[in-house]
Amino acid sequence: MENDHDHPHVEVLRALSEGDDMNIHTSEPERTLTHEEAAEALALLRHWAGQVSEEEVVALDPLVSRLVPGRELSNYPALARAYPEEFEVDETYKASMPDLQNGPSSLIKGAKRAIQHVGISNFRLPIRFHRRDGADLTLETSVTGTVSLEAEKKGINMSRIMRTFYKHAEKTFSFEVIDAALDAYKTDLESFDARIMMRTSFPMKVNSLRSGLSGYQYYDIALELIEADNVRKKIVHLDYVYSSTCPCSLELSEHARQFRGQLATPHSQRSVARVSVEMAQDADILWFEDLIDMCRAAVPTETQVMVKREDEQAFAELNAANPIFVEDAARLFAETFQADVRIADYRVIASHQESLHSHDAVSVLTEGSTFDAESLDPRLFATLFHVG
């Protein structure tokens, strides 16, 4: 018949449950317990813990509470819940804090591969920009900052990107200021490559076609500075919104009028060109207004802000004088960009959001290697949809 001496762990737990104040030694300290004995001991431990107070459990070992059903997430010993208003962080305390982003490569999860872009997107702040007329303009600006990460590094300190950028945020921005911010990025984050993109909505007052009214047109614009392999590129992106009248529909409408006396109207639609231009090295400044004017010269049927009846009629005449397919639009923008010595490379992405079809007509035209890509973002053209 079995007795307690056959299970030395039972003697230990009984001593604990009875509160014996003594040193307890098993009769066979070197013997390896079996799985069944461990399960029996665990059941007895849980039984004991369920009969005594939580303080007694903690006094034995706080980890025991995690073995008891219903107490797995126990916070004993109790933690302070009030915010410590008076607590101050000194250098010793900061040195004791964990820093996983800058941890050893042994902490890397997944493939130990270099990452081309890692950072933060859409931190916003007011930025002061120069206008072409010499005035300054403060605009809410969304900033994206990224750096490259070597294969053997765990990560970067994301907040350092913001802190670095804020050192330059009070200056009136230009590519020279972004250059300085990029230099600081590379130093502060110990990275080889770095990128900054600043995106804003730029207001520009435009006149109506005939009535003499004027109103503000808002243009989605982004400045991008990229350094890769010790080469820096300055890029300006602009979304230009215009009306496109289908040349085929225009001719068919006129055919119906001429041969059958039938009133017909050609279809036209709101259209968007996302143009991206790389500035030539040491080129004169390319103002936002300059790029907008270039787009308007290439495709003059920009959507209107303020109109009266005479402006609406003028817009219909302007569209009839400039019917374009989406292929025409891409080439017209390209012709204009090629003629400007300040532009080293460019890309045109055009989307004519058809009023005839249930789909859009799109085109992509790139000049050199900066924007050349065999693959496109699957949602690229969906982002060109502009609402009023």
Side-chain angles (χ1 to χ4, degrees):
M1 180 176 179
E2 290 186 328
N3 57 50
D4 290 344
H5 296 288
D6 295 323
H7 302 287
H9 57 284
V10 175
E11 295 180 21
V12 175
L13 294 176
R14 177 177 292 116
L16 290 172
S17 64
E18 293 174 353
D20 290 349
D21 186 13
M22 62 180 70
N23 292 324
I24 301 172
H25 302 278
T26 65
S27 58
E28 300 177 74
E30 302 300 325
R31 188 171 71 84
T32 301
L33 300 180
T34 66
H35 177 83
E36 291 75 13
E37 289 173 326
E40 185 179 350
L42 177 59
L44 186 60
L45 180 60
R46 285 174 170 169
H47 179 70
W48 170 78
Q51 293 181 326
V52 299
S53 68
E54 292 179 331
E55 289 76 8
E56 290 180 86
V57 174
V58 172
L60 174 63
D61 188 330
L63 294 178
V64 172
S65 64
R66 297 184 178 272
L67 302 176
V68 181
R71 295 187 188 175
E72 295 89 343
L73 300 180
S74 173
N75 280 333
Y76 282 88
L79 302 177
R81 294 179 179 270
Y83 178 73
E85 297 280 357
E86 305 302 322
F87 177 72
E88 295 184 2
V89 176
D90 58 22
E91 292 301 321
T92 301
Y93 184 83
K94 282 198 291 185
S96 73
M97 298 174 70
D99 185 4
L100 293 183
Q101 294 100 326
N102 295 310
S105 60
S106 60
L107 296 179
I108 293 175
K109 293 184 178 182
K112 289 187 178 180
R113 298 291 304 276
I115 299 177
Q116 287 74 34
H117 292 261
V118 60
I120 56 177
S121 174
N122 194 35
F123 75 89
R124 295 176 297 167
L125 67 169
I127 295 294
R128 190 167 65 250
F129 293 91
H130 272 317
R131 299 183 66 105
R132 186 172 58 184
D133 61 10
D136 284 349
L137 181 65
T138 299
L139 300 172
E140 178 184 303
T141 304
S142 168
V143 180
T144 296
T146 65
V147 295
S148 59
L149 183 65
E150 298 172 61
E152 296 302 316
K153 289 186 177 181
K154 167 68 174 174
I156 68 167
N157 189 318
M158 296 284 182
S159 64
R160 191 174 294 175
I161 290 181
M162 289 185 63
R163 296 198 303 270
T164 302
F165 192 87
Y166 262 85
K167 295 176 184 176
H168 303 271
E170 297 301 319
K171 302 174 184 177
T172 301
F173 260 69
S174 63
F175 268 118
E176 288 70 27
V177 176
I178 308 178
D179 265 321
L182 202 68
D183 287 334
Y185 267 26
K186 293 182 63 181
T187 300
D188 290 351
L189 284 94
E190 300 178 344
S191 176
F192 292 112
D193 299 336
R195 304 153 198 87
I196 295 176
M197 177 180 286
M198 300 168 54
R199 180 170 49 86
T200 192
S201 182
F202 183 77
M204 185 173 174
K205 185 171 275 191
V206 296
N207 296 323
S208 60
L209 293 174
R210 286 180 181 156
S211 67
L213 297 175
S214 62
Y216 281 100
Q217 191 82 274
Y218 284 81
Y219 300 89
D220 289 343
I221 286 181
L223 294 173
E224 186 176 16
L225 183 62
I226 303 170
E227 177 165 336
D229 298 327
N230 295 316
V231 176
R232 288 194 177 181
K233 294 184 178 182
K234 302 173 183 178
I235 297 171
V236 182
H237 306 272
L238 163 69
D239 278 11
Y240 177 73
V241 185
Y242 58 98
S243 173
S244 59
T245 295
C246 174
C248 183
S249 181
L250 177 60
E251 292 300 322
L252 291 173
S253 295
E254 290 305 304
H255 182 277
R257 291 169 182 264
Q258 180 180 356
F259 287 91
R260 295 167 35 232
Q262 176 63 48
L263 179 64
T265 58
H267 76 84
S268 59
Q269 50 275 319
R270 185 179 296 179
S271 305
V272 181
R274 179 164 296 161
V275 300
S276 302
V277 298
E278 178 194 350
M279 294 180 59
Q281 297 293 329
D282 302 320
D284 292 337
I285 188 169
L286 179 66
W287 297 97
F288 293 161
E289 296 94 329
D290 291 344
L291 188 57
I292 293 167
D293 285 347
M294 292 167 67
C295 290
R296 195 178 293 138
V299 178
T301 53
E302 181 180 21
T303 55
Q304 301 294 294
V305 181
M306 300 288 284
V307 296
K308 298 178 74 172
R309 285 180 297 170
E310 57 267 38
D311 300 312
E312 186 168 354
Q313 185 182 66
F315 192 63
E317 295 172 9
L318 185 63
N319 271 269
N322 295 276
I324 49 172
F325 294 119
V326 72
E327 302 93 331
D328 300 322
R331 287 169 171 154
L332 286 166
F333 289 119
E335 182 181 40
T336 301
F337 297 153
Q338 285 181 203
D340 196 303
V341 295
R342 294 172 294 179
I343 296 177
D345 200 354
Y346 61 84
R347 177 183 62 202
V348 179
I349 304 171
S351 174
H352 289 190
Q353 291 147 23
E354 295 277 328
S355 63
L356 170 63
H357 302 291
S358 298
H359 54 263
D360 301 335
V362 298
S363 65
V364 178
L365 187 157
T366 61
E367 169 63 13
S369 60
T370 299
F371 304 105
D372 189 26
E374 293 184 2
S375 176
L376 294 177
D377 178 353
R379 299 289 298 169
L380 171 64
F381 297 110
T383 66
L384 270 67
F385 187 76
H386 280 239
V387 296

